[in-house]
Amino acid sequence: MKKLQASSSILPYEPASSLFTDYALKSRFISIPASEKVKIHEGNFLFPIGTILIKNFYYPADFNRPEENLKIIETRLLIHSEKGWEAFPYIWNEEQTDAVLKVVGGEQNVKFIQKNGEEQVINYLIPNKNQCKTCHNSSEELAPIGVKIKHLNHEVSIGQKIQNQLTYWKEKGILEGFEGPNEHPSLVNYADESQALSDRAMAYLDINCSHCHQSEGPASTSGLFYILINKTP
């Protein structure tokens, strides 16, 4: 479990850009109930009851070797129940053998070496169950952020090949209504310096800011809205 290797029934997923979280690295998985499918309706995902979104937050001891000496800090679950989405924060033990549900959240000191060779120490805050809604909020209902078509409509490494991950979901039989990469919006990875600066800026603002700064978001009273036009390939 400490290697975060999921069973074959649980699929990894990867948004083109990642929400910034104190430099933490993340791995993400989705569990879809057997015989159910994610559906696309009016440009949005509709997830079946029982869907679980899994996100792990971890740090390498040295960011120049990001796959070595990892310390997992927390695992957050978003579970789609009949009452809507519910959040569950889990904190890992020092032995990295298990994670325990902590609805009150917590904090941990984390040490790591940055890419420039300097040592960094941060006070990492783990949100409590209610704080998850601070960001995961759409019209006062808990909702996912990164699991949107525009964030997942891009190519990733799957097994021995590079493939559009939503095409892969369709081939796996868990996605209905996906007409192909060119028929749906997509955003670039804002960290990819080979992409146009305007596209990178749009992707950064979308994943980090626009989920709050919109009419349905918790920053609706600020008057600062990010209405972004999605890029279609």
Side-chain angles (χ1 to χ4, degrees):
M1 189 164 66
K2 67 188 297 183
K3 294 183 179 180
L4 301 177
Q5 294 177 345
S7 69
S8 58
S9 63
I10 299 177
L11 292 178
Y13 73 90
E14 181 181 340
S17 292
S18 178
L19 186 71
F20 178 78
T21 313
D22 290 335
Y23 301 100
L25 301 182
K26 305 168 189 177
S27 64
R28 305 167 179 84
F29 301 89
I30 184 170
S31 173
I32 305 296
S35 303
E36 295 285 355
K37 292 184 179 182
V38 180
K39 298 180 181 179
I40 294 178
H41 177 68
E42 295 182 351
N44 297 309
F45 285 137
L46 297 180
F47 294 96
I49 300 298
T51 297
I52 304 175
L53 301 176
I54 305 159
K55 185 157 64 171
N56 304 295
F57 297 73
Y58 61 92
Y59 290 85
D62 186 341
F63 270 79
N64 293 294
R65 296 188 289 274
E67 297 181 357
E68 300 177 10
N69 299 317
L70 305 181
K71 181 178 181 180
I72 315 167
I73 305 299
E74 61 166 323
T75 293
R76 300 179 190 175
L77 303 185
L78 281 182
I79 300 179
H80 194 206
S81 69
E82 293 183 355
K83 298 185 294 183
W85 290 96
E86 296 184 82
F88 298 91
Y90 288 77
I91 299 178
W92 284 72
N93 59 23
E94 286 294 326
E95 297 76 23
Q96 302 283 275
T97 57
D98 200 4
V100 177
L101 177 66
K102 293 288 187 180
V103 295
V104 296
E107 59 182 84
Q108 289 190 19
N109 286 328
V110 180
K111 297 180 181 180
F112 55 86
I113 296 175
Q114 302 177 97
K115 286 188 175 182
N116 63 6
E118 295 182 2
E119 185 176 89
Q120 176 81 336
V121 180
I122 65 171
N123 187 35
Y124 184 95
L125 297 178
I126 301 164
N128 64 47
K129 181 179 174 64
N130 292 329
Q131 285 175 320
C132 293
K133 194 176 179 180
T134 302
C135 290
H136 289 271
N137 186 325
S138 178
S139 299
E140 298 303 319
E141 297 291 335
L142 196 71
I145 295 175
V147 188
K148 295 182 174 67
I149 297 172
K150 58 187 173 182
H151 297 310
L152 301 188
N153 185 20
H154 67 104
E155 292 186 338
V156 296
S157 177
I158 300 175
Q160 301 298 316
K161 62 180 180 179
I162 303 297
Q163 184 178 8
N164 182 282
Q165 64 184 330
L166 295 185
T167 298
Y168 179 69
W169 284 18
K170 183 178 180 180
E171 292 175 354
K172 290 279 290 185
I174 66 166
L175 179 60
E176 180 179 299
F178 184 68
E179 302 299 332
N182 295 332
E183 303 302 319
H184 297 275
S186 67
L187 292 171
V188 304
N189 178 1
Y190 64 74
D192 183 357
E193 295 183 0
S194 69
Q195 300 290 337
L197 182 59
S198 58
D199 292 340
R200 293 172 60 202
M202 182 174 68
Y204 183 91
L205 291 171
D206 193 297
I207 192 66
N208 283 285
C209 310
S210 68
H211 57 280
C212 283
H213 286 277
Q214 57 173 296
S215 59
E216 295 82 16
S220 60
T221 58
S222 69
L224 177 61
F225 290 0
Y226 290 108
I227 307 301
L228 303 179
I229 300 173
N230 297 326
K231 179 186 176 183
T232 302

